[in-house]
Amino acid sequence: MKILIEAFAAPGCAKCARSRAALKAVVEALGAERFDWRDVDVLQQIDRAVALGVVSPPSLAIDGELVFPALPTPERLRAELTRRLADAA
Amino acid sequence: MRATAPASARQAALQTGHLRTLSNPRRTDETRSPNAGDRSSHAEGAGEHGQPALYYEREGRIRPAAKSAAGYRLYTEEGIRRIAFIKQAQQCGFSLREIRALFELRATDDACCDDIYRVAVEKKLRLERKIRALAAMSQALTRWIEMCSRDRRSLDACPIPGALEAGLAVDGRAAPKVLQAPAKSA
């Protein structure tokens, strides 16, 4: 089963886009087919954002859990995803 | 308006109507009845119970330009605008601490519209969260009210205090046994 990654951001946030690109690169390096990456506009999908407790985007949720209220470094994301992949194996 | 000659710039401003009280920005202090309220009441235009203006005055962010002989705080147009900003921000749900952060942001040279946009988005998310929590709380109260037998039994038999003690999750996910509605007496 794919790991769901939801990247919450406000529209038009250039900084968010840059950070997101670096994190997406991590996902692709680990195998894009193992993940379901979704970009979530907090204003368009505010119910989802609020349900997960997003209050200060950009944030990252993994499998429906707000693991990173603030975007992590690529290294931290890699460590988290590697651990989850190992747990799932 | 007093007929005395202005002894200072403040007095001059006062006499030309440039200094105003908060409770009626269109009225200068000198035209306001001293019986209309005590000194603290003049901050009421800034928010509940007049505290915000006093809070920011203590912080040095807003200062009355002068005080009248009757003790009324008098503000410049800029002061009035700042207080209106505080009042509006409070009505949008910003706390005093958050408003202070907004003031600091406004005073930052390299701050831009995007910074305020980010603050507004974050505030909206927090408000939406609070709205949902309040709605869930209201629903929980509805359930508890429906459970209550409204008879003369002791409080020990009433489900509402029990539900509160049990820390029932307001979204209804938790349903402790204590919330089982008591059988109504015939």
Side-chain angles (χ1 to χ4, degrees), chain A residues 17-41:
Chain A
R18 283 195 299 275
S19 304
R20 209 164 50 225
L23 298 176
K24 264 185 142 172
V26 169
V27 168
E28 286 167 11
L30 290 172
E33 73 284 354
R34 302 158 90 178
F35 302 95
D36 179 8
W37 178 288
R38 295 179 192 173
D39 291 313
V40 183
D41 178 336

Side-chain angles (χ1 to χ4, degrees), chain A residues 2-84:
Chain A
K2 289 185 176 183
I3 293 176
L4 172 63
I5 301 173
E6 291 167 284
F8 291 91
C13 174
K15 182 183 160 194
C16 303
R18 283 195 299 275
S19 304
R20 209 164 50 225
L23 298 176
K24 264 185 142 172
V26 169
V27 168
E28 286 167 11
L30 290 172
E33 73 284 354
R34 302 158 90 178
F35 302 95
D36 179 8
W37 178 288
R38 295 179 192 173
D39 291 313
V40 183
D41 178 336
V42 291
L43 297 181
Q44 291 293 322
Q45 299 187 47
I46 198 157
D47 285 342
R48 179 68 177 160
V50 171
L52 291 186
V54 175
V55 289
S56 185
S59 307
L60 212 65
I62 301 176
D63 283 340
E65 178 193 358
L66 189 65
V67 179
F68 297 110
L71 287 190
T73 61
E75 292 73 27
R76 284 191 66 202
L77 179 63
R78 183 179 294 107
E80 177 67 24
L81 295 180
T82 302
R83 185 185 66 75
R84 286 175 180 257

Side-chain angles (χ1 to χ4, degrees), chain B residues 68-79:
Chain B
S68 72
Y72 293 124
R73 288 175 169 78
L74 303 171
Y75 295 88
T76 61
E77 291 295 337
E78 170 60 18

Side-chain angles (χ1 to χ4, degrees), chain B residues 13-33:
Chain B
L14 185 63
Q15 291 200 353
T16 55
H18 291 154
L19 293 183
R20 295 175 179 171
T21 63
L22 281 179
S23 47
N24 187 349
R26 294 187 181 281
R27 179 181 287 181
T28 63
D29 178 67
E30 299 304 297
T31 63
R32 182 187 165 90
S33 164

Side-chain angles (χ1 to χ4, degrees), chain A residues 10-11 42-43 46-47 49-50 53-57, chain B residues 114 117-118 121-126 128-130 132:
Chain A
V42 291
L43 297 181
I46 198 157
D47 285 342
V50 171
V54 175
V55 289
S56 185
Chain B
D114 190 54
Y117 173 83
R118 183 176 46 76
V121 168
E122 289 182 9
K123 192 64 204 175
K124 179 173 175 60
L125 286 167
R126 290 178 198 278
E128 291 289 339
R129 191 178 187 184
K130 191 179 285 186
R132 283 159 178 74

